[in-house]
C-alpha cells in the first residue's frame, strides 16, 4: 500500500509541477467592461456575443461575487459550457470583441499538504512551568507549538517552535473573531469543533435564500463543489488544517488548536482528489467577505495567474481581511496563487530542527517553495492532527506549507482578538518584525529577509507582545468615527468628535461598485433602500479617508 501511495504522490508532483496551463476545458471566467453604455443582465443581449450562444452550447452563466443585483457589468462571471471546447480559441474570440476587462481560463488549484497514517509511538513529555499548558491528550506531539527536542520522527531542536504556550499566557482568542477556512471542508460533527461554528442568523433551514446572498440555507458555511450547505470533508486536508488553526483545547482529547475561541466559517472548494476550480475559490472569497469574516486561511495553490482571483484578494485586502496562503511544496521559486499575490501573507514550512523543509516526509523531491513573495515560515512537517473519518482517530500526521499556513492563521486570529482594528499591512509587518531570523540553514537563512525563510520563523509570543504594546500613536484605529447600529436596518448613525457635516460619504458594495453618495451629512444616513449584505463606507473629511464596513439587514 505504501508503494502505491508513493507512486501516486510522484505522479501528482509531476502533474502539478507542470500545471502552468492546467485548467478546465469547459469553463472560463470573464468580466464585462463597466464602460459599456447599457447595464447588461444577460450576455445574450449583446449582439457581438451571439456567436457565443450559437456556436457553444452553454450550461451555466453565474457571477462569482455577491452584489445582490442582476447587472453583470464589472463583475467576475463564470461561464460553463456543456461540452469540452478549445479554451484558448474562445478566449481570443471574446477578447477580440473588446467588451471585456479580462477573459481567462478557470485554472485548477490543489491543496498543498500530504498525510501519512503510520505512527511511531513516543511519549516523552516535558511540562514547563509558568505557562499556559492545555490538557489535550496528545499535545506533546505538537512540536510546532512547543518543541522540547524529544520529537522522534525527525531531527528535533529545543525551542524550534512558535512559543505558543508562552503566547497563550497573553490570550487564547476571542469568539468575536471569525475565520474562514477555504479547503476541502471539515468533519462537521467532530468534538474538536464543537461550539465553534459561525452561525448565519439571517438564515433558517427552509429551502429559501433568506438573506439574499445566493446561497440557500447556508447556516454554517457552503460547499462550492457540490453546491449545497454541507461543507463536509471527504478528503481530510481541510479537517487537518482547520484543526491546526482552531481545534478546541483543554478538553482532554486530541490536539490543541492555536486559537481556542474564534468562530469557524468552513468552506469547501476542493473535492476528494484535493483539487478544485479557481472560480469556486474566487466565489468563496466574496462569500467570506459577505459573511463578514475577520480573516481567511487558504492552504491551496495554482500556478495560473487570474485577474479575477487577484481582484477578489484585493477586495478582501481593501476591507482589512487578511488572507494567509501557502507557498506550495515543489522546492522551487514558481509563483503559486494566491500566495504570490501582493496582498496576501505567504507562508513557507520548517522542520522540527528549524531548517526549511526540504524534503517533506512524503517525497524526496518535495520542499517548501521559496521566492520573492514569501513573508514568513512556520512549522509544517510531521504535523499531527484531526481525522476527517473519525472523532477519535489521532494517529495521522501531515506535511506541507498547507500545515504551516493555518498555524500562522491562528496566530493572526489571536492578534485580532487583542486588536480587531489591525490592518493587513500592520499584521504582516508585526509577523515579520517579530519572526526569529537566522534560525535555519545558514546557506539559505541569511540576515534579514531572504527568499527561503522570508523574515524568519514566526513567533506567536513576540507577535502578541508587540500587539499589546502598541499605543494609539502607533496605529490609526479609525475609532474617532464610530458607526452604529451595525448591522443596521434603516438609519446608520455617526458618533465623532468631527462634525459629520464635513463628511463626504460614498457607499460601495463588496465588488467595489458605487451604490450611493452623500455630501455634508448630519449625524445619520438612511440606508433602508439598500439590499441586505455587506457594504463599504468611505468617509472623506479634511484630507483624511476612513473606510468602515457595515452590514445591512
Amino acid at each position: 500500500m505504501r508503494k502505491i501511495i508513493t507512486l501516486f504522490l510522484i505522479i501528482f508532483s509531476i502533474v502539478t509541477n507542470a500545471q502552468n496551463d492546467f485548467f478546465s476545458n469547459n469553463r472560463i471566467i470573464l468580466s464585462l467592461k463597466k464602460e459599456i453604455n447599457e447595464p447588461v443582465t444577460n450576455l445574450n443581449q449583446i449582439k457581438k456575443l451571439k456567436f457565443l450562444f450559437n456556436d457553444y452550447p452553454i450550461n451555466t452563466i453565474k457571477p462569482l461575487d455577491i452584489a445582490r443585483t442582476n447587472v453583470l457589468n464589472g463583475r467576475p462571471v463564470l461561464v460553463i459550457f456543456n461540452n469540452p471546447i478549445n479554451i484558448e480559441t474562445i478566449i481570443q474570440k471574446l477578447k477580440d470583441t473588446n467588451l471585456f476587462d479580462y477573459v481567462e481560463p478557470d485554472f485548477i488549484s490543489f491543496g498543498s499538504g500530504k498525510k501519512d497514517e503510520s505512527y511511531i509511538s513516543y511519549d516523552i513529555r516535558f511540562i514547563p512551568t509558568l505557562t499556559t499548558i492545555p490538557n489535550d491528550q496528545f499535545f506533546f506531539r505538537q512540536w510546532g507549538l512547543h518543541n522540547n527536542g524529544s520529537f522522534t520522527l525527525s531531527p528535533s531542536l529545543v525551542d524550534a517552535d512558535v512559543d505558543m504556550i508562552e503566547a497563550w499566557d497573553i490570550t487564547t482568542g476571542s469568539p468575536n473573531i471569525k475565520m474562514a477556512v477555504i479547503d476541502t471542508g471539515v468533519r462537521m460533527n467532530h468534538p474538536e469543533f464543537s461550539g465553534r461554528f459561525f452561525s448565519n442568523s439571517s438564515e433558517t433551514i427552509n429551502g429559501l435564500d433568506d438573506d439574499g446572498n445566493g446561497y440557500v440555507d447556508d447556516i454554517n458555511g457552503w460547499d462550492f463543489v457540490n453546491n449545497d450547505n454541507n461543507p463536509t470533508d471527504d478528503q481530510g486536508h481541510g479537517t487537518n488544517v482547520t484543526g491546526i488553526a482552531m481545534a478546541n483545547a483543554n478538553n482532554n482529547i486530541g490536539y490543541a488548536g492555536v486559537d481556542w475561541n474564534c468562530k469557524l466559517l468552513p468552506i469547501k472548494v476542493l473535492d476528494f482528489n484535493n483539487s478544485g476550480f479557481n472560480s469556486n475559490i474566487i466565489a468563496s472569497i466574496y462569500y467570506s467577505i459577505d459573511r463578514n469574516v475577520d480573516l481567511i486561511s487558504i492552504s491551496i495553490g495554482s500556478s495560473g495567474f487570474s485577474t479575477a482571483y487577484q481582484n477578489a484578494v484585493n477586495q478582501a485586502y481593501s476591507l482589512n481581511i487578511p488572507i494567509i496562503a501557502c507557498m506550495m511544496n515543489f522546492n522551487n521559486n514558481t509563483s503559486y496563487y494566491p500566495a504570490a499575490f501582493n496582498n496576501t501573507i505567504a507562508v513557507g514550512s520548517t522542520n522540527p530542527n528549524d531548517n526549511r523543509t526540504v524534503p517533506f516526509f512524503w517525497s524526496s523531491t518535495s520542499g517548501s517553495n521559496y521566492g520573492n513573495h514569501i513573508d514568513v515560515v512556520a512549522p509544517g512537517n510531521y504535523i499531527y492532527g484531526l481525522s476527517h473519518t473519525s472523532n477519535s482517530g489521532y494517529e495521522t500526521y501531515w506535511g506541507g506549507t498547507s500545515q504551516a499556513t493555518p498555524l500562522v492563521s491562528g496566530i493572526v486570529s489571536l492578534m485580532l482578538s487583542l486588536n480587531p482594528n489591525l490592518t493587513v499591512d500592520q499584521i504582516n509587518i508585526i509577523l515579520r518584525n517579530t519572526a526569529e531570523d537566522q534560525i535555519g540553514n545558514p546557506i539559505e537563512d541569511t540576515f534579514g529577509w531572504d527568499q527561503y525563510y522570508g523574515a524568519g520563523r514566526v513567533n506567536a509570543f513576540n507577535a502578541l507582545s508587540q500587539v499589546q504594546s502598541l499605543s494609539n500613536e502607533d496605529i490609526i484605529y479609525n475609532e474617532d468615527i464610530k458607526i452604529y447600529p451595525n448591522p443596521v436596518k434603516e438609519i446608520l448613525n455617526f458618533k465623532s468628535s468631527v462634525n459629520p457635516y464635513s463628511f463626504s460619504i460614498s457607499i460601495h458594495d463588496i465588488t467595489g461598485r458605487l451604490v450611493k453618495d452623500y455630501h455634508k451629512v448630519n449625524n445619520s444616513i438612511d440606508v433602508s433602500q439598500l439590499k441586505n449584505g455587506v457594504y463599504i463606507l468611505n468617509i472623506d473629511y479634511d484630507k483624511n479617508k476612513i473606510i468602515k464596513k457595515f452590514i445591512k439587514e
Side-chain angles (χ1 to χ4, degrees):
M1 180 64 178
R2 180 62 56 81
K3 291 182 179 179
I4 294 174
I5 293 174
T6 302
L7 178 61
F8 168 77
L9 293 175
I10 292 172
I11 294 172
F12 181 89
S13 177
I14 292 171
V15 170
T16 54
N17 262 307
Q19 63 169 296
N20 285 323
D21 58 351
F22 196 38
F23 47 77
S24 167
N25 62 6
N26 72 327
R27 301 160 68 106
I28 58 172
I29 301 172
L30 51 81
S31 179
L32 279 170
K33 291 180 177 179
K34 292 182 180 180
E35 295 77 16
I36 295 176
N37 291 331
E38 59 176 329
V40 176
T41 58
N42 188 332
L43 295 180
N44 202 11
Q45 74 187 69
I46 302 176
K47 291 181 179 180
K48 281 187 177 181
L49 297 181
K50 292 298 183 182
F51 76 91
L52 184 64
F53 297 88
N54 294 336
D55 301 341
Y56 303 93
I58 293 175
N59 178 278
T60 303
I61 298 176
K62 66 175 182 179
L64 297 176
D65 60 353
I66 301 174
R68 294 178 171 84
T69 175
N70 293 326
V71 177
L72 299 178
N73 306 60
R75 301 172 64 188
V77 175
L78 173 67
V79 179
I80 303 176
F81 300 94
N82 282 334
N83 306 305
I85 62 172
N86 188 312
I87 294 295
E88 292 92 342
T89 298
I90 189 63
I91 286 177
Q92 190 56 55
K93 286 184 177 181
L94 290 171
K95 285 182 176 179
D96 290 344
T97 66
N98 200 34
L99 292 170
F100 301 95
D101 287 321
Y102 58 82
V103 186
E104 59 190 32
D106 192 357
F107 290 101
I108 308 295
S109 285
F110 296 89
S112 71
K114 310 289 190 300
K115 71 176 177 178
D116 189 314
E117 296 183 359
S118 64
Y119 172 58
I120 301 175
S121 178
Y122 65 97
D123 196 16
I124 302 173
R125 307 187 189 199
F126 169 71
I127 305 299
T129 58
L130 302 178
T131 49
T132 302
I133 307 297
N135 61 20
D136 300 79
Q137 182 180 5
F138 299 112
F139 177 69
F140 66 92
R141 295 177 182 166
Q142 294 182 269
W143 68 265
L145 306 186
H146 175 69
N147 191 343
N148 62 13
S150 67
F151 192 76
T152 60
L153 300 186
S154 173
S156 182
L157 183 66
V158 173
D159 206 34
D161 56 42
V162 300
D163 284 350
M164 200 66 244
I165 57 177
E166 293 84 357
W168 284 329
D169 285 344
I170 299 175
T171 182
T172 56
S174 165
N176 295 323
I177 300 301
K178 303 174 287 292
M179 182 192 304
V181 180
I182 298 175
D183 212 280
T184 63
V186 299
R187 184 171 176 84
M188 299 293 288
N189 65 350
H190 204 295
E192 294 281 47
F193 300 131
S194 177
R196 301 295 293 281
F197 292 100
F198 171 39
S199 180
N200 184 358
S201 59
S202 298
E203 282 280 359
T204 57
I205 301 297
N206 58 9
L208 302 174
D209 180 17
D210 296 303
D211 59 3
N213 68 349
Y215 302 93
V216 175
D217 294 345
D218 57 321
I219 301 293
N220 293 131
W222 194 257
D223 177 353
F224 284 85
V225 176
N226 300 297
N227 196 33
D228 60 42
N229 67 344
N230 182 15
T232 293
D233 188 0
D234 56 4
Q235 201 278 336
H237 190 267
T239 298
N240 176 265
V241 300
T242 306
I244 293 168
M246 60 168 66
N248 283 329
N250 270 343
N251 58 358
N252 290 297
I253 62 171
Y255 300 101
V258 174
D259 189 311
W260 301 3
N261 296 294
C262 70
K263 294 300 184 181
L264 165 65
L265 178 65
I267 299 176
K268 180 176 175 62
V269 297
L270 302 181
D271 61 18
F272 62 90
N273 289 317
N274 207 21
S275 65
F277 297 113
N278 273 7
S279 56
N280 284 336
I281 303 174
I282 294 165
S284 74
I285 292 175
Y286 285 112
Y287 176 79
S288 300
I289 294 171
D290 189 68
R291 292 293 304 275
N292 203 32
V293 301
D294 297 285
L295 72 157
I296 299 171
S297 187
I298 304 182
S299 292
I300 300 171
S302 166
S303 60
F305 175 82
S306 163
T307 299
Y309 203 162
Q310 179 176 251
N311 289 347
V313 168
N314 289 345
Q315 184 64 16
Y317 171 84
S318 73
L319 294 170
N320 285 330
I321 301 173
I323 294 179
I324 301 90
C326 65
M327 287 289 294
M328 298 298 282
N329 309 323
F330 303 114
N331 195 27
N332 61 35
N333 63 356
T334 301
S335 293
Y336 285 86
Y337 302 96
F341 291 131
N342 289 334
N343 291 327
T344 60
I345 298 172
V347 181
S349 170
T350 57
N351 278 338
N353 64 357
D354 253 348
N355 284 342
R356 179 174 71 95
T357 304
V358 184
F360 290 98
F361 67 81
W362 41 265
S363 169
S364 61
T365 60
S366 65
S368 178
N369 274 24
Y370 49 90
N372 292 333
H373 56 289
I374 190 172
D375 290 299
V376 290
V377 291
N381 203 15
Y382 298 101
I383 305 298
Y384 280 92
L386 309 181
S387 168
H388 75 295
T389 59
S390 168
N391 288 345
S392 57
Y394 298 109
E395 308 309 313
T396 301
Y397 59 82
W398 293 66
T401 56
S402 273
Q403 282 58 54
T405 295
L407 196 161
V408 175
S409 298
I411 294 172
V412 171
S413 182
L414 295 180
M415 294 167 66
L416 290 169
S417 74
L418 294 176
N419 186 346
N421 298 297
L422 291 169
T423 69
V424 177
D425 289 339
Q426 289 162 348
I427 289 168
N428 202 344
I429 289 170
I430 292 171
L431 288 173
R432 285 171 170 250
N433 287 348
T434 60
E436 295 190 56
D437 190 21
Q438 292 184 288
I439 42 85
N441 182 347
I443 297 176
E444 295 182 342
D445 192 8
T446 57
F447 179 74
W449 182 93
D450 58 72
Q451 67 168 332
Y452 297 99
Y453 290 78
R457 191 243 308 122
V458 292
N459 185 295
F461 175 75
N462 290 347
L464 296 184
S465 297
Q466 182 160 331
V467 173
Q468 271 192 319
S469 68
L470 292 171
S471 67
N472 290 337
E473 288 73 32
D474 295 313
I475 287 184
I476 300 173
Y477 291 100
N478 292 350
E479 286 303 297
D480 187 49
I481 299 175
K482 297 181 183 294
I483 59 174
Y484 66 95
N486 192 8
V488 59
K489 292 183 182 294
E490 295 181 352
I491 304 300
L492 186 66
N493 299 298
F494 297 90
K495 182 179 181 181
S496 172
S497 60
V498 181
N499 183 358
Y501 190 71
S502 65
F503 293 172
S504 291
I505 293 176
S506 61
I507 297 178
H508 300 255
D509 63 23
I510 62 170
T511 69
R513 185 189 306 276
L514 177 67
V515 294
K516 203 153 188 176
D517 260 329
Y518 301 87
H519 297 283
K520 296 183 177 180
V521 303
N522 291 316
N523 292 317
S524 63
I525 57 176
D526 186 351
V527 296
S528 60
Q529 299 304 311
L530 297 180
K531 296 180 179 179
N532 293 347
V534 176
Y535 291 89
I536 309 160
L537 188 70
N538 291 287
I539 305 173
D540 290 288
Y541 76 96
D542 193 24
K543 298 182 180 179
N544 294 309
K545 185 168 186 175
I546 290 177
I547 298 175
K548 297 278 189 178
K549 274 192 306 182
F550 72 90
I551 302 173
K552 169 63 171 60
E553 288 187 334

